[in-house]
Amino acid sequence: MIGKFVYECTYTEDDIGMEDKLFVDFKTAKQTLQARLIKFGLDYNIEDYLYDGKAVFVKREVYGQ
């Protein structure tokens, strides 16, 4: 088994369809979050949004072949 790490969005303050999504790296996760915030008309500074705990990403190890 080969383990690799992914980032899972476990919480967002706003219902923007991010919960339980997995991302291969944190940069992609942040870009997707920013795109979702814009799509839903939520004009947040992404760094403040993360810092204030309005979105939570958890680093998880997953196994596959």
Side-chain angles (χ1 to χ4, degrees):
M1 290 251 176
I2 299 171
K4 74 174 192 177
F5 290 98
V6 296
Y7 292 86
E8 179 181 11
C9 184
T10 58
Y11 168 81
T12 55
E13 184 174 272
D14 303 292
D15 185 17
I16 55 175
M18 285 287 291
E19 286 81 2
D20 302 320
K21 294 203 180 302
L22 300 177
F23 301 93
V24 293
D25 58 49
F26 195 58
K27 181 179 178 182
T28 303
K30 284 174 57 175
Q31 289 172 339
T32 304
L33 176 60
Q34 183 69 70
R36 289 290 194 157
L37 290 171
I38 291 169
K39 178 181 178 182
F40 285 90
L42 303 167
D43 190 21
Y44 288 113
N45 176 306
I46 188 73
E47 296 300 329
D48 290 344
Y49 197 82
L50 291 168
Y51 181 78
D52 292 342
K54 293 179 181 178
V56 177
F57 288 91
V58 176
K59 188 175 181 181
R60 300 211 186 278
E61 190 168 13
V62 294
Y63 297 94
Q65 306 222 22

